[in-house]
Amino acid sequence: MGKTILDSNQIQQLIPNRYPMLLVDRVVNLDVENNEIMAIKAVTANEMQFIGHFPHKHVMPGVLTLESLSQTGLILLLNKEEYKDKDIKVRKYDKCRFKRQVIPGDLCNLVVQITEASNDTVVVMAKAIVEETDAVVVELTYSIK
Amino acid sequence: MSKIIFDSNQIQAMIPHRYPFLMVDRIIELDTVNKVIKGVKTVTANEIHFMGSKKHVMPVPFIIEAMAQTGSILLSNLEEYKNELALFAGLENCEVFKDVIPGDTIIFEMKDINLNGRFGTGHATASVDGEVAVSAAITFGLDRRK
């Protein structure tokens, strides 16, 4: 595992998300200049969503992994000088594929790279990788106000 | 409000989702011939996900999940798919037009379902007060269930 750049307490200082919607545990690589971030979300059976998804078969809801990726992208954007005081929201999810199930015990590596950026819109390519296999890939568009 | 075709107890008999991940309260329209379904969810501040943000806005991923669950309920009412569980396989062109907040009633509509072997797609919208809040094309894969 790489070194920790930001831990979960530092992440809480950056983004407004809190339990049970804080879905990034640590940032292990933050390359603001090259518009890239890598973070980790550890998945455990002791999380709320597994009460209901599903009672007899624990599968990390794909939409929550999408949320992990959007929060990771948000951390990257808030570390960029030009966006740090802005109101940033995901406006579009596109080209998304759920390729493998994520289950308790898995470590999700969340990799986000900015592909297009302007004053009011940023597009990123985001991937959640488990054991070197892509679990979720998505293109996210953030609106910036 | 429109008439209830299935209530939340009946929905629990059709899909395996349970609290805190059951995101559809009732079904108000079901057309198994044309494969169209409409579901309803009321949004209240007394839901667990609102603990997670300073400002109460329904997290968009949960709206996407609700649209997918509505589609899953439709599939479970089609004779040939009633023993299948639809799992999320992809999402295209999902746009967010406005925030959904506590007190809102969301109407989910899933239509234009196209099934091709073990995969399928459908077009979904989530509307509040007659205005589309989120729209998406959802792809699902079928898994033996249940």
Side-chain angles (χ1 to χ4, degrees):
Chain A
M1 198 179 276
K3 69 170 198 264
T4 304
I5 310 272
L6 299 171
D7 66 19
S8 54
N9 300 297
Q10 293 166 314
I11 291 170
Q12 287 202 131
Q13 289 169 9
L14 267 175
I15 63 175
N17 307 73
R18 296 292 180 270
Y19 173 86
M21 289 299 290
L22 178 65
L23 296 173
V24 184
D25 293 325
R26 61 174 67 158
V27 174
V28 293
N29 182 29
L30 179 60
D31 187 343
V32 176
E33 237 165 64
N34 290 314
N35 296 322
E36 195 175 57
I37 186 170
M38 187 164 151
I40 287 176
K41 156 87 183 114
V43 179
T44 166
N46 195 24
E47 286 181 84
M48 169 101 63
Q49 62 272 19
F50 295 117
I51 302 170
H53 199 275
F54 305 97
H56 302 293
K57 183 179 164 67
H58 294 162
V59 180
M60 181 71 171
V63 294
L64 288 188
T65 305
L66 282 185
E67 179 66 17
S68 286
L69 290 167
S70 15
Q71 290 179 12
T72 304
L74 181 60
I75 295 168
L76 172 60
L77 294 184
L78 290 172
N79 274 286
K80 287 185 77 72
E81 201 54 42
E82 60 266 46
Y83 302 128
K84 71 176 186 192
D85 299 317
K86 303 283 185 173
D87 179 21
I88 304 171
K89 279 184 191 168
V90 178
R91 197 191 143 85
K92 187 172 177 185
Y93 301 78
D94 201 7
K95 300 172 190 160
C96 171
R97 287 287 171 272
F98 298 93
K99 299 184 169 191
R100 68 165 264 178
Q101 290 182 4
V102 178
I103 59 171
D106 282 343
L107 273 190
C108 267
N109 291 283
L110 310 160
V111 181
V112 177
Q113 170 96 49
I114 298 177
T115 53
E116 278 175 58
S118 69
N119 285 337
D120 58 357
T121 308
V122 172
V123 181
V124 304
M125 202 60 217
K127 271 185 185 183
I129 301 166
V130 177
E131 287 165 5
E132 289 163 21
T133 309
D134 290 356
V136 181
V137 294
V138 65
E139 184 186 272
L140 302 170
T141 306
Y142 295 87
S143 75
I144 293 165
K145 281 180 193 142
Chain B
M1 214 179 232
S2 325
K3 91 173 198 270
I4 304 173
I5 296 180
F6 301 128
D7 65 19
S8 54
N9 300 297
Q10 291 166 304
I11 290 171
Q12 290 205 128
M14 293 169 188
I15 59 174
H17 305 73
R18 296 292 180 272
Y19 173 85
F21 237 79
L22 179 65
M23 300 280 166
V24 186
D25 293 330
R26 53 178 69 161
I27 297 300
I28 54 167
E29 209 176 296
L30 176 66
D31 178 346
T32 52
V33 178
N34 297 311
K35 300 194 179 79
V36 178
I37 188 167
K38 278 190 186 173
V40 175
K41 166 165 176 54
T42 50
V43 179
T44 166
N46 195 27
E47 286 181 81
I48 200 85
H49 44 255
F50 291 119
M51 275 177 75
S53 67
K54 283 182 200 152
K55 192 176 162 210
H56 289 170
V57 176
M58 171 104 173
V60 174
F62 287 173
I63 299 176
I64 300 169
E65 175 70 20
M67 298 193 292
Q69 289 181 13
T70 306
S72 195
I73 295 164
L74 171 61
L75 281 189
S76 73
N77 281 279
L78 301 175
E79 193 51 41
E80 61 272 43
Y81 299 105
K82 68 177 183 192
N83 293 319
E84 308 276 5
L85 174 64
L87 294 175
F88 238 122
L91 184 66
E92 306 286 336
N93 207 18
C94 174
E95 291 201 64
V96 184
F97 299 101
K98 66 171 195 172
D99 288 345
V100 176
I101 58 171
D104 282 346
T105 298
I106 317 178
I107 310 275
F108 308 107
E109 185 181 43
M110 174 71 98
K111 61 180 183 181
D112 304 331
I113 291 189
N114 198 336
L115 285 147
N116 187 357
R118 306 290 297 163
F119 286 89
T121 56
H123 283 91
T125 54
S127 308
V128 175
D129 297 332
E131 277 179 54
V132 176
V134 180
S135 69
I138 291 175
T139 306
F140 49 88
L142 298 174
D143 193 4
R144 286 264 161 222
R145 72 152 103 183
K146 256 182 186 182

